[in-house]
Amino acid sequence: MRNNQVDVVTLGESMILFQSYNQGALQYEPLFTKSLAGAESNVAIGLSRLEKSTRWIGRLGHDPFGDLVLTTLSGQGVDTSYAVRDAEAPTAVYFKDFKRYGDPAVYYYRKGSAASRLTPEMIDVSWLEGASHLHVTGITPALGEQTAAATRKLMELARKQGLTVSFDPNLRRKLWSEELARETLLSLIPLCDIFMPGDEEAEFLLGEMEIEAYGEAFLDMGPKLVAMKLGAEGSIGFTQKGFVRAEPFAVDRLIDTVGAGDAFASGLLSVLLDYREQIEGGLDEAHLHEALRRANLLGSMATQFKGDWEGLPTLAEVNDILGGQKSVTR
Ligand code: KDG
């Protein structure tokens, strides 16, 4: 069902993810589970569980996998009514190969996919109708020259329409050359209000520096808020008023790190959207800390479940955990 008023619009490629059932090596595992993945749709689902209304825009093939993307997202409360079907190109798929340690390796089958055929001419102002905020990531521009130009156009349009814009660089080295990635990602930073790099992405973009120096350098490029993910060290937020650190949440059983950054983005945005008018002048320290803390919690929860978004909590669960409540399970 079309939702005319939404908190957040996001644009990106959603794919069907195959993971080995027994977490065995991709080459030998005979059984696979099938689910939805895609950084931007992960954020939309995370926000929807936190009771923010969301709209996902993307291009899908006219195939059963495209149908699965739509039914999964709408089942999670995300408005998909603006999604576009492409009769000539497929919905992409990707596979996760679990390693005994470290991040899983991913294998993409997305060249020539419906989403990769996005062009600036296809950007439609009606996508932003009734929305307060746009969230995009560095994955869409990594799909090709045209998708990069389309991302830029949508960010510019959103700002003209008075939306705030967040940008997660989501560096995916398998999708483009380092040189092009650096140049393109840096060129998009001035078009966002909220920039959310990880510490390794900050180093990739600017070279080795002190953490505080990254904050300052990114703020100088235009964003009003920089939220940096520091992995096991938690996160740090920078505004013109200064910086705030937030402690990490313990990860009891690390299962799958993919999707943790998107979970962080959902947690962060779910709080920031409540203080949207403050972003321009610099968010209060207390509100920034609240946003980072929730973001850290979601990031840690995402790593403890198989799948990108399946382990994300509802608002009631977040409030229980942050309020120190033990949930009644039986
Ligand atoms: O952040 C998680 C994403 O990486 C995953 O869902 C797949 O969108 C994806 C990508 O392009 O890597």
Side-chain angles (χ1 to χ4, degrees), residues 298-319:
L298 262 83
S300 88
M301 289 178 87
T303 64
Q304 300 183 60
F305 288 84
K306 192 172 162 185
D308 282 19
W309 50 268
E310 286 82 343
L312 296 180
T314 61
L315 186 60
E317 285 165 340
V318 165
N319 288 337

mmCIF file of all heavy atoms in Angstrom, residues 298-319:
data_model
loop_
_atom_site.group_PDB
_atom_site.id
_atom_site.type_symbol
_atom_site.label_atom_id
_atom_site.label_comp_id
_atom_site.label_asym_id
_atom_site.label_seq_id
_atom_site.Cartn_x
_atom_site.Cartn_y
_atom_site.Cartn_z
ATOM 1 N N LEU A 298 22.161 -1.646 18.181
ATOM 2 C CA LEU A 298 21.666 -2.349 16.994
ATOM 3 C C LEU A 298 22.798 -3.020 16.226
ATOM 4 O O LEU A 298 22.660 -4.145 15.752
ATOM 5 C CB LEU A 298 20.880 -1.400 16.078
ATOM 6 C CG LEU A 298 19.380 -1.560 16.323
ATOM 7 C CD1 LEU A 298 18.919 -0.750 17.503
ATOM 8 C CD2 LEU A 298 18.593 -1.235 15.085
ATOM 9 N N GLY A 299 23.924 -2.312 16.125
ATOM 10 C CA GLY A 299 25.080 -2.888 15.428
ATOM 11 C C GLY A 299 25.504 -4.188 16.102
ATOM 12 O O GLY A 299 25.753 -5.193 15.440
ATOM 13 N N SER A 300 25.544 -4.194 17.416
ATOM 14 C CA SER A 300 25.996 -5.409 18.108
ATOM 15 C C SER A 300 24.954 -6.515 17.961
ATOM 16 O O SER A 300 25.303 -7.679 17.782
ATOM 17 C CB SER A 300 26.330 -5.125 19.574
ATOM 18 O OG SER A 300 25.190 -5.253 20.381
ATOM 19 N N MET A 301 23.661 -6.159 17.981
ATOM 20 C CA MET A 301 22.627 -7.199 17.839
ATOM 21 C C MET A 301 22.682 -7.847 16.456
ATOM 22 O O MET A 301 22.510 -9.054 16.307
ATOM 23 C CB MET A 301 21.241 -6.609 18.102
ATOM 24 C CG MET A 301 21.046 -6.288 19.583
ATOM 25 S SD MET A 301 19.456 -5.542 19.924
ATOM 26 C CE MET A 301 18.459 -7.020 20.147
ATOM 27 N N ALA A 302 22.949 -7.026 15.439
ATOM 28 C CA ALA A 302 22.974 -7.556 14.060
ATOM 29 C C ALA A 302 24.060 -8.604 13.874
ATOM 30 O O ALA A 302 23.915 -9.513 13.062
ATOM 31 C CB ALA A 302 23.175 -6.418 13.069
ATOM 32 N N THR A 303 25.152 -8.491 14.632
ATOM 33 C CA THR A 303 26.248 -9.454 14.450
ATOM 34 C C THR A 303 25.952 -10.803 15.116
ATOM 35 O O THR A 303 26.679 -11.767 14.919
ATOM 36 C CB THR A 303 27.578 -8.935 15.057
ATOM 37 O OG1 THR A 303 27.407 -8.806 16.464
ATOM 38 C CG2 THR A 303 28.002 -7.625 14.455
ATOM 39 N N GLN A 304 24.884 -10.852 15.914
ATOM 40 C CA GLN A 304 24.634 -12.084 16.681
ATOM 41 C C GLN A 304 23.569 -12.978 16.043
ATOM 42 O O GLN A 304 23.068 -13.899 16.655
ATOM 43 C CB GLN A 304 24.267 -11.706 18.116
ATOM 44 C CG GLN A 304 25.413 -10.922 18.766
ATOM 45 C CD GLN A 304 25.171 -10.561 20.207
ATOM 46 O OE1 GLN A 304 24.988 -11.442 21.024
ATOM 47 N NE2 GLN A 304 25.162 -9.276 20.504
ATOM 48 N N PHE A 305 23.186 -12.623 14.806
ATOM 49 C CA PHE A 305 22.201 -13.422 14.078
ATOM 50 C C PHE A 305 22.710 -13.693 12.677
ATOM 51 O O PHE A 305 23.429 -12.870 12.108
ATOM 52 C CB PHE A 305 20.867 -12.658 13.962
ATOM 53 C CG PHE A 305 20.122 -12.580 15.259
ATOM 54 C CD1 PHE A 305 20.416 -11.598 16.181
ATOM 55 C CD2 PHE A 305 19.144 -13.515 15.560
ATOM 56 C CE1 PHE A 305 19.744 -11.525 17.386
ATOM 57 C CE2 PHE A 305 18.466 -13.458 16.759
ATOM 58 C CZ PHE A 305 18.760 -12.461 17.674
ATOM 59 N N LYS A 306 22.275 -14.822 12.137
ATOM 60 C CA LYS A 306 22.585 -15.125 10.743
ATOM 61 C C LYS A 306 21.638 -14.289 9.885
ATOM 62 O O LYS A 306 20.450 -14.215 10.196
ATOM 63 C CB LYS A 306 22.342 -16.622 10.528
ATOM 64 C CG LYS A 306 22.880 -17.157 9.257
ATOM 65 C CD LYS A 306 22.750 -18.675 9.252
ATOM 66 C CE LYS A 306 22.866 -19.199 7.842
ATOM 67 N NZ LYS A 306 22.639 -20.622 7.776
ATOM 68 N N GLY A 307 22.148 -13.660 8.860
ATOM 69 C CA GLY A 307 21.284 -12.808 8.030
ATOM 70 C C GLY A 307 21.552 -11.351 8.358
ATOM 71 O O GLY A 307 22.059 -11.023 9.425
ATOM 72 N N ASP A 308 21.208 -10.494 7.403
ATOM 73 C CA ASP A 308 21.533 -9.068 7.523
ATOM 74 C C ASP A 308 20.626 -8.335 8.496
ATOM 75 O O ASP A 308 21.042 -7.383 9.139
ATOM 76 C CB ASP A 308 21.358 -8.383 6.161
ATOM 77 C CG ASP A 308 22.513 -8.653 5.222
ATOM 78 O OD1 ASP A 308 23.258 -9.617 5.458
ATOM 79 O OD2 ASP A 308 22.660 -7.892 4.259
ATOM 80 N N TRP A 309 19.345 -8.712 8.536
ATOM 81 C CA TRP A 309 18.403 -7.858 9.272
ATOM 82 C C TRP A 309 17.479 -8.660 10.195
ATOM 83 O O TRP A 309 16.764 -8.090 11.003
ATOM 84 C CB TRP A 309 17.526 -7.083 8.262
ATOM 85 C CG TRP A 309 16.902 -7.978 7.219
ATOM 86 C CD1 TRP A 309 17.416 -8.288 5.996
ATOM 87 C CD2 TRP A 309 15.677 -8.723 7.315
ATOM 88 N NE1 TRP A 309 16.589 -9.168 5.324
ATOM 89 C CE2 TRP A 309 15.515 -9.449 6.117
ATOM 90 C CE3 TRP A 309 14.689 -8.830 8.301
ATOM 91 C CZ2 TRP A 309 14.414 -10.276 5.876
ATOM 92 C CZ3 TRP A 309 13.589 -9.660 8.057
ATOM 93 C CH2 TRP A 309 13.466 -10.371 6.857
ATOM 94 N N GLU A 310 17.516 -9.981 10.091
ATOM 95 C CA GLU A 310 16.556 -10.809 10.818
ATOM 96 C C GLU A 310 16.645 -10.608 12.331
ATOM 97 O O GLU A 310 15.657 -10.748 13.047
ATOM 98 C CB GLU A 310 16.743 -12.291 10.462
ATOM 99 C CG GLU A 310 16.234 -12.674 9.067
ATOM 100 C CD GLU A 310 17.198 -12.376 7.919
ATOM 101 O OE1 GLU A 310 18.142 -11.590 8.100
ATOM 102 O OE2 GLU A 310 16.990 -12.932 6.820
ATOM 103 N N GLY A 311 17.831 -10.274 12.819
ATOM 104 C CA GLY A 311 18.000 -10.130 14.272
ATOM 105 C C GLY A 311 17.730 -8.733 14.788
ATOM 106 O O GLY A 311 17.974 -8.451 15.971
ATOM 107 N N LEU A 312 17.242 -7.849 13.942
ATOM 108 C CA LEU A 312 17.056 -6.466 14.402
ATOM 109 C C LEU A 312 15.867 -6.367 15.363
ATOM 110 O O LEU A 312 14.845 -7.014 15.174
ATOM 111 C CB LEU A 312 16.842 -5.531 13.203
ATOM 112 C CG LEU A 312 18.042 -5.434 12.259
ATOM 113 C CD1 LEU A 312 17.732 -4.481 11.109
ATOM 114 C CD2 LEU A 312 19.275 -4.957 13.015
ATOM 115 N N PRO A 313 15.996 -5.533 16.384
ATOM 116 C CA PRO A 313 14.972 -5.470 17.426
ATOM 117 C C PRO A 313 13.826 -4.507 17.104
ATOM 118 O O PRO A 313 13.961 -3.621 16.265
ATOM 119 C CB PRO A 313 15.766 -4.921 18.616
ATOM 120 C CG PRO A 313 16.776 -4.020 17.980
ATOM 121 C CD PRO A 313 17.148 -4.654 16.661
ATOM 122 N N THR A 314 12.740 -4.682 17.835
ATOM 123 C CA THR A 314 11.638 -3.714 17.779
ATOM 124 C C THR A 314 11.952 -2.581 18.766
ATOM 125 O O THR A 314 12.856 -2.717 19.608
ATOM 126 C CB THR A 314 10.317 -4.360 18.218
ATOM 127 O OG1 THR A 314 10.474 -4.792 19.580
ATOM 128 C CG2 THR A 314 9.946 -5.539 17.336
ATOM 129 N N LEU A 315 11.173 -1.523 18.680
ATOM 130 C CA LEU A 315 11.383 -0.396 19.594
ATOM 131 C C LEU A 315 11.180 -0.840 21.048
ATOM 132 O O LEU A 315 11.940 -0.449 21.939
ATOM 133 C CB LEU A 315 10.426 0.751 19.230
ATOM 134 C CG LEU A 315 10.622 2.041 20.006
ATOM 135 C CD1 LEU A 315 12.027 2.604 19.807
ATOM 136 C CD2 LEU A 315 9.580 3.082 19.584
ATOM 137 N N ALA A 316 10.165 -1.664 21.278
ATOM 138 C CA ALA A 316 9.898 -2.120 22.653
ATOM 139 C C ALA A 316 11.098 -2.906 23.180
ATOM 140 O O ALA A 316 11.518 -2.727 24.335
ATOM 141 C CB ALA A 316 8.637 -2.979 22.669
ATOM 142 N N GLU A 317 11.690 -3.735 22.318
ATOM 143 C CA GLU A 317 12.862 -4.516 22.760
ATOM 144 C C GLU A 317 14.048 -3.595 23.063
ATOM 145 O O GLU A 317 14.752 -3.780 24.055
ATOM 146 C CB GLU A 317 13.255 -5.542 21.674
ATOM 147 C CG GLU A 317 12.301 -6.727 21.622
ATOM 148 C CD GLU A 317 12.427 -7.571 20.363
ATOM 149 O OE1 GLU A 317 12.958 -7.102 19.332
ATOM 150 O OE2 GLU A 317 11.943 -8.713 20.401
ATOM 151 N N VAL A 318 14.234 -2.595 22.207
ATOM 152 C CA VAL A 318 15.336 -1.650 22.437
ATOM 153 C C VAL A 318 15.124 -0.931 23.774
ATOM 154 O O VAL A 318 16.053 -0.813 24.589
ATOM 155 C CB VAL A 318 15.410 -0.611 21.284
ATOM 156 C CG1 VAL A 318 16.275 0.581 21.649
ATOM 157 C CG2 VAL A 318 15.947 -1.274 20.038
ATOM 158 N N ASN A 319 13.910 -0.481 24.008
ATOM 159 C CA ASN A 319 13.650 0.245 25.247
ATOM 160 C C ASN A 319 13.853 -0.644 26.466
ATOM 161 O O ASN A 319 14.389 -0.204 27.486
ATOM 162 C CB ASN A 319 12.236 0.832 25.245
ATOM 163 C CG ASN A 319 12.145 2.000 24.266
ATOM 164 O OD1 ASN A 319 13.170 2.628 23.943
ATOM 165 N ND2 ASN A 319 10.957 2.289 23.772
#
